[in-house]
């Protein structure tokens, strides 16, 4: 497996664990380095998400959006082909991502973001050392009837 495929597989697994229902939240921590940074970018997401540092803090922040916490009723992330650069043990990539969500309130939305992710290539898998998401587009979807 080349670096692009390995990093894409790690990112795809991360997004799948953030889908609702998923039920495998325990794996989230293993996808990040101990000193990882997760942040929102751009005006909308910098304010909404800010910056979270460290594996444990990132997992705590992410799982606050997942069951059993009442946020998403259903949620799915779709990752599109991206690009990766770098060599050695550090690879940076950028991917467009689409998210379709129905919230506990019954409201639903479609969102598109750009994910800029830096990976450390460990012997067993690439791990996320920096994750930045920037919202590019959002639109409401029909609510429940």
């Amino acid at each position: 497996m080349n670096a692009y495929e390995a990093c894409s597989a790690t990112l795809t697994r991360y997004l799948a664990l953030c889908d609702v229902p998923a039920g495998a939240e325990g794996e989230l921590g293993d996808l990040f380095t101990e000193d990882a940074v997760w942040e929102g970018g751009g005006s909308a997401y910098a304010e909404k998400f800010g910056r979270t540092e460290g594996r444990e803090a990132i997992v705590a922040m992410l799982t606050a959006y997942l069951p059993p916490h009442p946020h998403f009723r259903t949620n799915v992330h779709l990752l599109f082909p991206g690009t990766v650069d770098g060599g050695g043990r550090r690879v940076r990539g950028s991917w467009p991502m689409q998210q379709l969500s129905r919230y506990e309130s019954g409201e639903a939305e479609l969102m598109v973001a750009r994910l800029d992710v830096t990976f450390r290539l460990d012997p067993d898998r690439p791990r996320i050392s920096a994750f930045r998401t920037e919202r590019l587009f959002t639109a409401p979807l029909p609510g429940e009837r």
Side-chain angles (χ1 to χ4, degrees):
M1 185 179 300
N2 65 35
Y4 174 80
E5 292 168 337
C7 292
S8 292
T10 294
L11 185 57
T12 298
R13 183 65 185 148
Y14 161 72
L15 293 173
L17 292 172
C18 292
D19 288 346
V20 175
E25 296 83 10
E27 286 182 58
L28 276 171
D30 192 44
L31 299 177
F32 290 88
T33 63
E34 281 289 333
D35 60 347
V37 173
W38 195 107
E39 64 184 329
S43 59
Y45 276 5
E47 184 176 321
K48 179 177 181 178
F49 293 117
R51 178 181 171 99
T52 303
E53 297 182 25
R55 176 189 290 158
E56 289 182 26
I58 291 168
V59 170
M61 181 270 297
L62 294 172
T63 57
Y65 290 96
L66 301 174
H69 301 95
H71 183 73
F72 293 115
R73 189 174 300 163
T74 57
N75 185 45
V76 65
H77 295 82
L78 306 171
L79 188 65
F80 294 91
T83 59
V84 297
D85 304 313
R89 292 191 62 218
R90 183 178 158 112
V91 174
R92 293 186 61 167
S94 184
W95 288 263
M97 182 270 301
Q98 182 180 41
Q99 181 176 347
L100 299 130
S101 302
R102 180 165 318 280
Y103 299 96
E104 283 296 326
S105 67
E107 295 179 18
E109 75 174 340
L110 170 125
M111 186 273 303
V112 176
R114 177 178 29 257
L115 305 179
D116 293 314
V117 186
T118 302
F119 298 88
R120 185 182 71 205
L121 302 180
D122 287 345
D124 61 331
R125 72 160 38 146
R127 285 192 167 71
I128 300 167
S129 61
F131 182 96
R132 183 176 188 272
T133 179
E134 181 177 357
R135 185 173 69 186
L136 303 175
F137 173 83
T138 187
L141 294 172
E144 291 183 330
R145 298 188 194 276

